[in-house]
Structure formats: C-alpha cells, structure tokens
Amino acid sequence: MPHPFRFELLAVDERTGARAGLFHTPHGIVETPCFMPVGTRGTVKGVWPHQLREIGAQMILANTYHLALRPGEEVVAGLGDLHEFMHWDGPILTDSGGFQVFSLNTLRELTDDHVVFRSHIDGSLLELTPERAMQIQEQLGADCIMCLDECPPHDAPREQLIAAVDRTTAWARRCRDSHQRDDQALFGIVQGATDRELRERSAEGLRPLDFPGYAVGGLSVGESPEEMYATLDFTVPLLPEDRPRYLMGVGRPIDILEGVLRGIDLFDCVMPTRNARNATAFTSRGPVKMRNLKHQNDVEPLDPDCDCPTCRSFSRGYLRHLFVTGEMLGGMALSVHNLAYYQRLVRDLRTAIKSNRVLEFHAAHLAGQADGP
Ligand code: GUN
Ligand code: ZN
C-alpha cells in the first residue's frame, strides 16, 4: 500500500509564508488551508452530513473525551467506525481528550504517568494515559488522531508551563510507540504558552519523533490576539515545512486569516456553530445579531454575498422569527450559513495564495468588515 498520508505543497506565498496544499488521507484529499467544523459528540450540532459537504467542508473534528464517555469507543467500533457511525465518509480528526480534561474542569490527578478525571456526565472517576488515548482513537477510527497533551492555563507559573511541555513531549513519545494503525496519522502537539523558549523546547522535543503532522496547542486560551499572533510568529518556523500544521481551537475569522498568513494549514473552532445557536451570524459586512428587532420586516437574505442554502431560502425577517420563537430551525439554518462563511473564507484564501494575492485579500477582508473583525 502506498503511504496513505501525503502533504503536497502547491504554493507558498513569498511575502508571508502562507501555504496552499493538498493533504491526502485514506478518506480523501483535503485542500489546505482547511477549516474543520467541530462535531464534538459525532455530530456537527444541527447540521446534516450532506449539508456539510454541500457547503464545502472537507474534514471534520470529533472529540475522544466525549465519545469515549458516550456512547463509548466499543459501541462506535461495533457500529463500523466513526465514519459509518456519523455517516460522514470524508476525513475526520479526533482530538485526544487531554484538552477537554483540563478545560472542562474535571481534573482530579495529574502525574507523569496518567491523568485522572471525573466524568462530567455521571461523576465517575476515569483515567487517561497516552496508551489509552491511542487505543480509544484507534477504535474510533478517525484519519488523523492527536497525542495526549497537557494544556495548562496560559498564565500558569513558569515551572508549571515547563513541566507541561516536558510531560507533553514524554507523552508524545509514548503515543507514538503505542500507536499501531498505519492508516491513521498521529499528530504531535507543541505547547509552551506564549513563551518563545518554551515553544522551542517543545518543538525540539517533538521534531525527532517525526510525526506526519504538527499542531500548535495552548493558544486561544485567554491570551490576547496579539500575543497569539506573536507566538505563531516564532512557533511556526520551528515546525517541519513538509508537514501539515494545525492551530487547535482557533478561531474568529480574523484569527484564521492571521494564522494562514503565518503558515498554518488546519483550523477548528466551535465559534461558527456556537454563535449560530446564539443567533449571531458571520457575514461579509461583519457580525449580525438575528434577534434584533430591525430584522423583523426585512425580506433580504442574511448575507447578499452568500450562496448557502440558508441565504438562498430564508429572509432576515423569517430567521429573526425563528429565533424569537425558539424554533430549532433558527440555530440549524444559521449553523449552515456560518459554516458556509468559514468555508468560503478558507476557499478564498486558497485561491488568493495560489495567485499571490493573499496580503491583498487580507486588506480587503478587513476593509469589508464594517462592524470590525
Ligand atoms: N484544542 C484547543 N487547544 C488544544 C490543546 O492545546 N490541546 C488539545 N489536545 N486540544 C486543544
Ligand atoms: Zn449564507
């Protein structure tokens, strides 16, 4: 079998380092830069798989932590694998569960060997080790899987940040050593908060492990956007050029633009779907709050520059009505639109990079966002 994963760089922008590429996986080719909709529990909330495909989503993300708790990886494996389970035959990436253990505030014990946490569902005590994180992700069967990592608060004491970097490196080695399936690409995760030395220490520890892809973790966890961009400025050049680079959990449209300009290839974020359920739409003119009375009698589509199923079907007045009355189609329709907005953003970025216009695209995007990015 030829190697199922190949990352092909099609263009690198000379002025910025922004890249356009093709990431070959067992379930298809992903065009990069790519935005992955988040399907935490094996569903992108409120959106059908065929709609994801229709709006141009290519790879989606699911969470080991949530799926291991419910329904359990054995159940998913018994129903085929994650692709069959959720009826998405395109590429999938699963996060390892480490981040959720830290961010959902369920952490009970953390040692070099393992992390013990309380289930946020029934309170029972559970253990995660690097080996166990690999076993679960092998059973779920995503194309790309993530190492178990430790993501401390960005403003944690320096000793804790150093310990987290070293533990993440030691765990990455154990993940690599126990991972068996060669039809899955295991990504390493660089930690180190906003500290240049710590990011160097992390990348130097992970590079010899020769992962097929590298993620930048530990960002968008409370630091300012400027700190995040500055961290990317010195972190991305530490990563191998010929592997996909994934900025985890980011972000706003402007953060995706800034990440792409710094050489990031993959992104994921709950923002388009979460904001949709809260009645906030991303549009070519900036954010729009759909509950606002001013939309009541508006026959215009949500975004005149959008050709998504929502904008082709519904008026602003109707969408507002759905939210004001608590109808579930409101969140569903806005999720499709917001995801379409993100997919258009990365598609336009790919085109701009290939035609040497990415800085001009960046400027035009900022100019178009009347209400700010
Ligand atoms: N999602 C967002 N940030 C992170 C991170 O630092 N680690 C992991 N595993 N997932 C994330
Ligand atoms: Zn739309």
Side-chain angles (χ1 to χ4, degrees):
M1 178 168 75
H3 199 277
F5 293 93
R6 195 158 56 84
F7 183 56
E8 197 182 337
L9 276 176
L10 299 177
V12 181
D13 181 66
E14 281 176 13
R15 294 176 293 175
T16 61
R19 300 127 61 91
L22 297 175
F23 184 35
H24 299 254
T25 83
H27 285 86
I29 300 173
V30 176
E31 295 175 280
T32 64
C34 164
F35 178 80
M36 296 181 279
V38 175
T40 298
R41 301 195 286 207
T43 160
V44 176
K45 293 185 197 306
V47 184
W48 284 67
H50 73 85
Q51 296 180 303
L52 293 171
R53 181 131 344 263
E54 182 179 353
I55 60 175
Q58 299 186 9
M59 173 149 73
I60 60 179
L61 175 141
N63 277 112
T64 297
Y65 171 89
H66 297 84
L67 290 169
L69 291 180
R70 281 191 312 202
E73 69 278 11
E74 309 270 348
V75 173
V76 174
L79 293 169
D81 70 355
L82 197 45
H83 298 88
E84 285 195 48
F85 181 59
M86 61 187 293
H87 197 69
W88 170 262
D89 62 5
I92 303 177
L93 180 148
T94 45
D95 195 1
S96 57
F99 184 73
Q100 282 68 39
V101 170
F102 295 99
S103 64
L104 293 175
N105 222 358
T106 54
L107 183 65
R108 283 298 168 272
E109 183 186 305
L110 173 64
T111 68
D112 289 341
D113 187 51
H114 71 180
V115 25
V116 176
F117 59 99
R118 231 175 241 299
S119 158
H120 75 288
I121 294 161
D122 65 3
S124 60
L125 280 181
L126 300 161
E127 182 196 40
L128 208 48
T129 60
E131 292 76 18
R132 182 87 186 100
M134 292 300 99
Q135 192 186 30
I136 300 170
Q137 291 186 87
E138 286 184 354
Q139 291 227 48
L140 293 174
D143 301 82
C144 297
I145 69 172
M146 303 304 295
C147 286
L148 186 67
D149 60 331
E150 180 185 346
C151 178
H154 74 102
D155 52 359
R158 196 175 157 81
E159 303 76 65
Q160 191 188 335
L161 293 175
I162 296 174
V165 163
D166 292 346
R167 188 173 280 139
T168 294
T169 304
W171 284 359
R173 180 177 292 280
R174 282 168 59 185
C175 285
R176 201 202 53 168
D177 289 348
S178 72
H179 179 236
Q180 312 263 337
R181 284 182 63 163
D182 59 11
D183 61 345
Q184 291 184 311
L186 171 63
F187 280 46
I189 306 176
V190 176
Q191 290 289 347
T194 54
D195 186 300
R196 180 193 284 256
E197 268 179 43
L198 294 187
R199 289 283 174 182
E200 285 169 358
R201 183 180 179 119
S202 182
E204 273 162 27
L206 294 176
R207 260 196 327 250
L209 300 175
D210 199 26
F211 289 110
Y214 286 84
V216 181
L219 288 177
S220 204
V221 290
E223 80 286 359
S224 69
E226 290 66 34
E227 286 175 300
M228 176 166 83
Y229 306 151
T231 303
L232 290 175
D233 282 333
F234 54 70
T235 303
V236 174
L238 305 169
L239 306 176
E241 263 189 78
D242 61 348
R243 312 285 157 92
R245 303 158 173 169
Y246 166 27
L247 178 54
M248 305 189 81
V250 173
R252 302 172 300 162
I254 184 65
D255 299 326
I256 289 175
L257 259 159
E258 297 291 340
V260 164
L261 289 180
R262 288 163 175 80
I264 296 288
D265 308 301
L266 296 170
F267 302 84
D268 79 279
C269 191
V270 296
M271 187 170 274
T273 40
R274 180 174 291 166
N275 284 13
R277 297 194 300 279
N278 293 325
T280 302
F282 292 97
T283 77
S284 52
R285 318 275 159 90
V288 174
K289 298 219 184 293
M290 284 318 298
R291 288 177 181 278
N292 199 305
L293 179 62
K294 72 180 178 192
H295 306 303
Q296 187 176 41
N297 300 303
D298 194 341
V299 295
E300 294 300 316
L302 174 52
D303 186 346
D305 298 329
C306 183
D307 62 354
C308 85
T310 300
C311 292
R312 288 199 314 264
S313 309
F314 303 138
S315 65
R316 286 186 173 215
Y318 178 63
L319 289 168
R320 172 180 183 272
H321 161 73
L322 293 176
F323 279 103
V324 168
T325 54
E327 283 292 337
M328 61 197 238
L329 184 57
M332 294 164 65
L334 226 51
S335 294
V336 166
H337 165 80
N338 281 353
L339 287 173
Y341 177 89
Y342 270 65
Q343 292 306 328
R344 202 164 45 246
L345 174 65
V346 287
R347 190 197 65 199
D348 292 347
L349 275 164
R350 293 191 293 261
T351 306
I353 294 165
K354 289 179 211 164
S355 49
N356 284 316
R357 289 188 293 103
V358 72
L359 278 176
E360 291 75 7
F361 179 82
H362 179 250
H365 177 90
L366 292 182
Q369 298 283 300
D371 301 334

